[in-house]
Amino acid sequence: MKFVLSILIINHLCFLGFEYAITSMLNDQISSSSASSYAKLYVILVFPVQLLLELTFFIAMLYQAFIVFKWRANGTLWIGFIATFLMAIF
């Protein structure tokens, strides 16, 4: 469970980093023209891989929690997972 939660936290942080980079480029008048091309590259190349990783490890987390009953992990990992998940959603 520790590995799964760690990978999910890293995946959420990568998503938030890309989101922040693209929105900061859009707010900058000099680099706003290149922001749309970066956003297109992200949507075509990076986002499908991130989505596949997210679904795979989310299913692995559910499997460990409800079938194998290995849901024990540090409180820091659970708080980090919940916080980054909520930040990615909202």
Side-chain angles (χ1 to χ4, degrees):
M1 184 60 84
K2 293 177 185 178
F3 177 75
V4 172
L5 288 176
S6 300
I7 294 296
L8 285 171
I9 289 170
I10 291 170
N11 191 25
H12 294 158
L13 290 175
C14 289
F15 173 77
L16 292 170
F18 278 114
E19 180 186 14
Y20 177 74
I22 291 172
T23 54
S24 65
M25 275 192 260
L26 285 172
N27 291 336
D28 187 20
Q29 292 179 356
I30 297 170
S31 64
S32 64
S33 61
S34 64
S36 63
S37 61
Y38 284 122
K40 288 178 186 175
L41 283 174
Y42 173 73
V43 167
I44 292 171
L45 298 176
V46 179
F47 184 72
V49 174
Q50 276 190 321
L51 185 63
L52 183 65
L53 279 173
E54 180 77 21
L55 290 175
T56 303
F57 282 102
F58 191 73
I59 291 170
M61 184 183 73
L62 292 177
Y63 173 77
Q64 285 186 351
F66 295 117
I67 295 175
V68 183
F69 298 113
K70 288 187 177 181
W71 52 271
R72 295 187 142 213
N74 296 337
T76 308
L77 286 175
W78 281 109
I79 291 170
F81 166 72
I82 292 169
T84 56
F85 182 73
L86 291 175
M87 287 171 61
I89 289 177
F90 298 115

